[in-house]
Amino acid sequence: MSEAEEHVTGAADTPFQTAREAVDWIVRFIPLAGIKPGLERMEKLMEYLDDPHRRLKFIHVAGTNGKGSVCAFLTEAIRSGGYDVGTFTSPYIESYNERIRLNGVNISDEDLLRVVNKVKPVIDRVAEEHGQPSMFEISTVIAIEYFARVAYPDFVVWETGMGGRLDSTNIVTPLVSVITNIGHDHMDFLGETLPEIAAEKAAIIKAGVPVVSAVEQPEVIEVVAEAAKARKSTLYLLGRDFHYKTAAVEENKQTFTFHGVFRGIPDAVISMNGPHQVKNAATALMTLEVLRQYYALIIDDEDLLNALQRTQWPGRLELLSESPRLLIDGAHNPEGAQMLAAALKETYRYRKLHFMMGMLSNKNHTGYFRHILPLVDTLILTEPEWHKKAQASDLAALARTLLDELGRTDVEVIVEPDWKAALDLTQRLAEEDDLAVVSGTLYLIGDVRSWVKHQSDSEKGW
C-alpha cells in the first residue's frame, strides 16, 4: 500500500453522510481560503493521491471570455464521435455538480460524496503542511480523482479558473492548449495590461504541446506567439492559420464557413446567438482538427455538424421566457459587454430594452457600462447574493454620470437591491415588443435562471 492510500484509508475523520454536507464543506473555503494562486498545494495533493492526473488526456482551455462556450462545443463534438468526455468548468449556474460532468451529465451525488470522502483527508493533510487549499483547488482535485478513478473518460475538456500560470488546473500536461481571447478581467491578480494578462494565461502552454488561439490584439498575439516559441509549441492562430466567415444570422441560427490549415468546413451551423459564438465555434473546430491530425481523433463530418448545431451553454444569451421575452447573459467585463451589445444590435429585434444587472465589486464597471448604456431604455441595478457584490446605489451613481456624458436624459435608472424584486419589475416593464435582459455576474445569472425555471415548472404543475 502506498503512502497516499495508507493515509486515506487510515483517516480518522468522520466521512460526510450526504452530498449536501460535502458541498457545504467545499464552498466554505470561498471566503476563508479565497483565491490563492500557486501550484505548490496542487503538486502535493496530486503526489499524495498517486498522481491521478497523469492517467488522463486533457484539452486545456484558458482565456478571458468564451472558455465555457468553447468547452461546450468541444464536449458535444467529441462525444458525437463515440468518445466518453469529461468536462470541468466554472462557475456553476444552478448546482455545484455542474462543474464536473461526464458526457454532459453532472456528477451524481453518490459519486461526488464518495470522491469527497476519499480526498478530504489528503486535503486536510495539505492544509496542515502548506496552508488551506481554496474552494477551486479542492474542486480541481475532486474532478481529477473522479475522472481518473471513477469515470474513465477518453478525453477531459479542462477549463481554467482565473488565469493560467498559477491556476490549479495548470497541474496537467494536455494534448492541446486553447486560449480563447484576452481581455480586462481579474486584473487584481493577473496584471494591469493586456500583455501582462496574456502572459499569465499563455503559461498553460506546455513544451511541445500544440496551442490554438483566437486572440486578436497585436500586443497579445506577440506574447502568445513568444510563449509558444519558447516552449517549441506549434501555434494555430485565428486570422493566420484558421479563418471563419459568417454567411447568415438569425435568432438561434448562425451559418458560417471554416477554413483551417488542414481543411475547410462549409455551411457549419450553430444555434447559439451572438457573433462571438461563431468565433468560439471556429476555435473549437481548429482544436478538433489539431486532435485529428496529432492524435487520430475520428469524428464523422455529419456527426460533427449536428453536434455544433445542438450545442448550448446555459446563461449565455439564453432566452428564459417568451412572454415577456427575457434574455440572460453572463457578461461581466468590458469585453463581455461588447459581445453582448453586438448581439443585441445584430441578432435581436425589440421596441424597448429593459436591462437589469448586478455585479461583483472588483469588476471594471465603467468599461462595461460604456458598451451597454447606449442601447438601454431602462436600467435596473440590483445586487447578487455574494460576499463581493457591488452596491446597486454605487452602480447607479456611475451609470448616471456616464449617461450624462452620453447626453442621454431619456434612460430611467432604477435601484432595487433585492434581485427578486428587481427581476419582477424588469419583467413587468417589458411589454409585448420589448426585450428584458438580465446580465452581470454569473452568481446573479444562476439565481435568476433557477428562479425563473422553478416558477415556470410550478405553473406547469411539475
Side-chain angles (χ1 to χ4, degrees):
M1 182 181 291
S2 70
E3 180 186 357
E5 291 170 329
E6 184 178 359
H7 187 83
V8 173
T9 305
D13 294 18
T14 301
F16 299 113
Q17 300 300 311
T18 66
R20 180 72 263 166
E21 290 177 9
V23 171
D24 287 345
W25 172 72
I26 296 165
V27 301
R28 66 184 278 210
F29 297 112
I30 296 174
L32 295 177
I35 297 173
K36 303 171 71 171
L39 290 175
E40 179 188 24
R41 291 175 299 279
M42 282 300 301
E43 288 167 352
K44 284 299 179 184
L45 287 163
M46 291 297 98
E47 176 188 335
Y48 294 159
L49 288 166
D50 286 340
D51 298 316
H53 59 307
R54 294 182 181 173
R55 301 179 176 208
L56 299 165
K57 297 176 180 177
F58 294 92
I59 302 161
H60 202 182
V61 182
T64 300
N65 296 304
K67 299 189 296 294
S69 297
V70 170
C71 287
F73 282 122
L74 288 171
T75 297
E76 199 64 39
I78 297 172
R79 280 183 60 201
S80 75
Y83 301 95
D84 289 325
V85 185
T87 313
F88 179 65
T89 56
S90 62
Y92 61 85
I93 299 294
E94 293 182 38
S95 163
Y96 177 88
N97 302 51
E98 295 170 25
R99 288 176 174 268
I100 303 166
R101 299 189 300 280
L102 179 68
N103 295 330
V105 178
N106 297 349
I107 183 174
S108 68
D109 282 350
E110 294 77 14
D111 284 336
L112 179 61
L113 177 62
R114 180 152 53 107
V115 172
V116 172
N117 278 336
K118 178 180 178 181
V119 303
K120 184 180 183 297
V122 177
I123 290 166
D124 290 343
R125 177 182 177 184
V126 169
E128 292 175 6
E129 297 173 352
H130 304 281
Q132 175 61 52
S134 68
M135 183 277 289
F136 190 73
E137 287 172 312
I138 295 171
S139 299
T140 305
V141 172
I142 293 167
I144 290 174
E145 182 67 22
Y146 170 69
F147 292 137
R149 295 199 169 105
V150 179
Y152 310 109
D154 299 298
F155 298 92
V156 176
V157 178
W158 193 239
E159 183 189 349
T160 60
M162 180 178 64
R165 180 173 64 94
L166 300 176
D167 192 89
S168 62
T169 63
N170 205 28
I171 196 72
V172 311
T173 298
L175 301 179
V176 57
S177 304
V178 183
I179 302 173
T180 58
N181 53 50
I182 302 296
H184 296 87
D185 204 4
H186 299 298
M187 296 166 67
D188 45 343
F189 287 95
L190 302 180
E192 293 293 325
T193 68
L194 290 182
E196 288 175 341
I197 297 170
E200 290 293 318
K201 294 183 184 289
I204 70 165
I205 301 172
K206 302 297 195 302
V209 175
V211 56
V212 175
S213 183
V215 298
E216 295 181 287
Q217 307 96 322
E219 68 273 26
V220 171
I221 291 174
E222 182 179 355
V223 171
V224 174
E226 282 299 316
K229 182 180 178 181
R231 297 171 179 86
K232 295 182 170 55
S233 299
T234 302
L235 171 63
Y236 297 92
L237 184 65
L238 176 65
R240 185 189 73 185
D241 304 298
F242 68 100
H243 309 261
Y244 69 90
K245 184 175 182 181
T246 303
V249 177
E250 56 187 276
E251 194 169 334
N252 303 325
K253 184 179 180 181
Q254 299 189 82
T255 305
F256 69 101
T257 57
F258 169 85
H259 295 283
V261 291
F262 303 122
R263 65 166 181 157
I265 301 175
D267 300 323
V269 176
I270 61 172
S271 56
M272 293 175 69
N273 292 304
H276 57 291
Q277 293 296 3
V278 182
K279 183 191 296 184
N280 290 333
T283 304
L285 282 174
M286 189 66 243
T287 305
L288 294 167
E289 286 297 292
V290 168
L291 290 169
R292 187 170 70 91
Q293 291 292 323
Y294 284 66
Y295 304 106
L297 179 77
I298 300 172
I299 305 174
D300 181 81
D301 279 359
E302 183 179 356
D303 292 334
L304 171 61
L305 292 173
N306 287 336
L308 289 178
Q309 188 162 6
R310 67 173 174 263
T311 299
Q312 295 292 326
W313 190 232
R316 279 70 172 184
L317 288 172
E318 181 182 6
L319 193 68
L320 284 189
S321 70
E322 289 282 357
S323 182
R325 281 201 302 161
L326 176 65
L327 189 73
I328 59 172
D329 187 76
H332 56 269
N333 54 43
E335 288 76 13
Q338 184 178 21
M339 295 173 190
L340 173 56
L344 290 173
K345 287 185 282 190
E346 298 173 23
T347 305
Y348 298 93
R349 299 290 176 266
Y350 46 85
R351 184 178 66 91
K352 286 188 175 182
L353 180 63
H354 307 285
F355 198 94
M356 166 182 157
M357 64 172 284
M359 290 286 232
L360 298 188
S361 59
N362 60 344
K363 299 300 177 179
N364 183 344
H365 305 138
T366 300
Y368 183 99
F369 274 136
R370 291 199 187 282
H371 293 291
I372 296 300
L373 292 181
L375 305 179
V376 305
D377 294 287
T378 312
L379 180 66
I380 302 98
L381 287 316
T382 191
E383 296 173 6
E385 293 178 3
W386 197 249
H387 63 285
K388 291 183 180 179
K389 65 183 180 183
Q391 298 297 313
S393 56
D394 293 342
L395 291 174
L398 175 60
R400 290 186 178 107
T401 298
L402 295 173
L403 285 167
D404 286 344
E405 292 178 8
L406 291 171
R408 292 209 59 188
T409 59
D410 56 330
V411 177
E412 183 180 10
V413 178
I414 300 170
V415 175
E416 176 48 77
D418 183 325
W419 68 263
K420 288 180 183 176
L423 176 63
D424 180 64
L425 174 61
T426 304
Q427 291 176 298
R428 284 191 285 107
L429 286 171
E431 298 180 1
E432 185 176 352
D433 295 327
D434 296 349
L435 179 64
V437 176
V438 179
S439 189
T441 174
L442 284 168
Y443 298 109
L444 173 65
I445 298 303
D447 284 342
V448 168
R449 187 176 191 270
S450 180
W451 180 252
V452 172
K453 285 179 62 182
H454 175 72
Q455 287 183 313
S456 177
D457 290 347
S458 296
E459 290 171 2
K460 295 173 183 175
W462 292 356

